[in-house]
Structure formats: structure tokens, C-alpha cells
Amino acid sequence: MADHTANWPDHLEGDARPLEVGILLFNGHTTLDFVGPYTAFSAVGMKIHLVSKTLDPVLSEDCVLAIAPTATFDDCPERLDILLVPGGFVEKAMLDQATIAFLADRGATASYITSVCNGALILAAAGLLDGYRSATHWASRDHLAQLGVEVSTERVCIDRNRFSGGGVTAGIDFGLTVIAHTLGEKAAKFAQLVMEYDPKPPFNAGSPQGAGPEMVALFDKFTAGPDTTLRNAVSQVMEQRAASSPHRASGENAGLAASIVNT
């Protein structure tokens, strides 16, 4: 990949090729997972493709907010600088053959393969996190570990060309980090200023440690059903991958799958 850090902001004036970004969209996505990075990437002139199986509107996880894709799997650019997968209700996407085939294809040539929240589970289902470390939403860390991924508790995790953000709001930090690595710190700071990203949360409840056991118990109560569905999807992915490649059997990956690191 060409080094764009030396000519920013020249590319905003048409003197350099903008970075091509492909963001996967699927029904049940968490919109803020990709809107945060999308806003940051847009601020520095990246060319963003919202990619889905069809051009039909894609619904958010609450089935209220509809997003219009700009490209299908077939007409998305073959060579992406950045491939991004957001999270949400990821079960169907993890098990959808067309989605997995698209990610495997574009992931083979993308300069950066990235995710926010439990979008990492979809990347893992596509085999794109094999041998890599990744962050995800705190409530999905055990699921990601089951898929043989070394799990990081960082808000933004970088492992070679794999960039991943933690849950939802971490997508903004993730986006700025990706910009810093592709266009330079100056561009990242510019995007941060454009978004007036100067967070001062009113409560210290953005992590299980800060929220405390009562809030965590409340979270568990309201997510018990979706978590069961997700566990079933993870099990199906593991079975499919073991069947397609016996050497990936879960027993061989047990040591790695159990590891959750903070690096």
C-alpha cells in the first residue's frame, strides 16, 4: 500500500488517490459501530462504500433505522485499502455463505482488515483472524476466544494489519487510530476536531468494572436470549470449520481459544 501520510491533505484537493473503504452492512447491525468510523473517515476524504448483498435498505438491530447500501458484494471494488466489519446481531452474517465468501475474497487483498465491537466474530468466522489478536465488545470476548482468536481487552487493538475496536463507542477511537496509521497524525487530529470529539462522559459506567455488578446483572438479564443465539452461531461456525479442515478441530485450538490478554 502506498504511503499517504506524506501528502495529506493534498488528497483532499484531488492530488492523490483517496483511500477506498468497504464497510459491511447487514440486517441487525449496530449503527454506531460504523457511523463513528464513517464520520472520521469521511472527514479526511476517504472514499467509503457501504456494502451489502443487495441495495435494499439494511435495518439496524432495533429494526427502526434503515441504511441504504451503496454497493453490492458483486460491484464493490475488488481492491480495498480498508475492510471494516461492524457488530450487532451478527449471528446470521456469521453463517451466511455469501457474506463469508465476500469477506474472504476482499480480505485476501485488503491492506487493512478491521472490525468494531463483535464484528470481530464475523471476521473470525471468515477465517480472517486466524493467528491474530483482536478486541471486541466486553460481552463477546468469550465467544471470540471460542473461535480460536487471541482476545485483547484494549479499546483499540492493533496486530499487524488487523485493527479492531471494542464495543460500539470504541469505533470513534478506532477510526482515528486507523487514520493516524494511514494518513498520519495530522489527519487524525483534523478528523477529531471536525467531530468535536472531546468526550467527558457523565458517568463512569462504560465498562463492567466501572458500572459494577448490579448494572452487569441487569445487562445479563436483558441479553440472555440474544447471547444464547450467538453461542449457537459460534458453535455452528466451529463445527463448519472443523468439518472443512480437520486440523482446526477445537481440541487443537483449546489453549489459544482460552486466552484473553490485555496487551
Side-chain angles (χ1 to χ4, degrees):
M1 177 181 175
D3 180 10
H4 296 266
T5 61
N7 58 19
W8 193 92
D10 291 349
H11 72 285
L12 293 177
E13 301 171 1
D15 294 331
R17 178 185 68 83
L19 298 184
E20 300 268 1
V21 182
I23 301 179
L24 176 70
L25 291 186
F26 53 90
N27 284 314
H29 67 269
T30 298
T31 307
L32 187 55
D33 282 2
F34 79 87
V35 168
Y38 175 95
T39 305
F41 294 162
S42 295
V44 294
M46 295 186 184
K47 185 175 181 180
I48 303 172
H49 308 274
L50 302 178
V51 189
S52 190
K53 292 175 71 172
T54 72
L55 293 180
D56 295 336
V58 179
L59 294 177
S60 59
E61 58 189 350
D62 59 3
C63 296
V64 173
L65 186 61
I67 304 293
T70 62
T72 66
F73 291 166
D74 292 333
D75 57 31
C76 173
E78 293 185 4
R79 179 68 170 79
L80 295 170
D81 294 297
I82 301 166
L83 176 64
L84 169 59
V85 180
F89 293 146
V90 299
E91 300 86 354
K92 290 183 179 180
M94 290 172 62
L95 298 169
D96 183 76
Q97 292 184 358
T99 299
I100 296 304
F102 166 76
L103 292 176
D105 180 75
R106 297 309 192 274
T109 58
S111 297
Y112 295 90
I113 298 171
T114 72
S115 63
V116 174
C117 198
N118 63 355
L121 294 174
I122 305 177
L123 285 183
L128 293 174
L129 291 181
D130 290 353
Y132 289 88
R133 191 175 75 255
S134 177
T136 189
H137 190 284
W138 63 266
S140 294
R141 290 171 184 163
D142 61 335
H143 299 306
L144 190 58
Q146 278 187 287
L147 292 172
V149 179
E150 185 180 1
V151 180
S152 169
T153 60
E154 298 164 285
R155 187 163 173 83
V156 179
C157 174
I158 303 171
D159 186 357
R160 289 158 284 174
N161 73 333
R162 265 56 168 180
F163 284 56
S164 52
V168 192
T169 60
I172 298 177
D173 295 345
F174 154 88
L176 295 174
T177 300
V178 171
I179 292 171
H181 278 258
T182 55
L183 296 178
E185 185 176 307
K186 180 180 178 181
K189 289 180 176 179
F190 176 80
Q192 183 174 359
L193 178 61
V194 168
M195 297 188 294
E196 195 180 353
Y197 181 52
D198 187 22
K200 296 178 177 62
F203 308 103
N204 180 26
S207 68
Q209 296 76 20
E214 181 181 357
M215 287 295 102
V216 172
L218 186 63
F219 175 91
D220 291 341
K221 175 182 177 180
F222 282 95
T223 60
D227 188 68
T228 298
T229 303
L230 182 55
R231 287 186 184 279
N232 291 336
V234 169
S235 296
Q236 290 183 60
V237 169
M238 292 172 65
E239 291 170 2
Q240 291 172 1
R241 298 189 70 189
S244 64
S245 178
H247 296 294
R248 278 175 163 163
S250 58
E252 294 183 18
N253 290 326
L256 176 61
S259 63
I260 298 180
V261 299
N262 185 6
T263 54

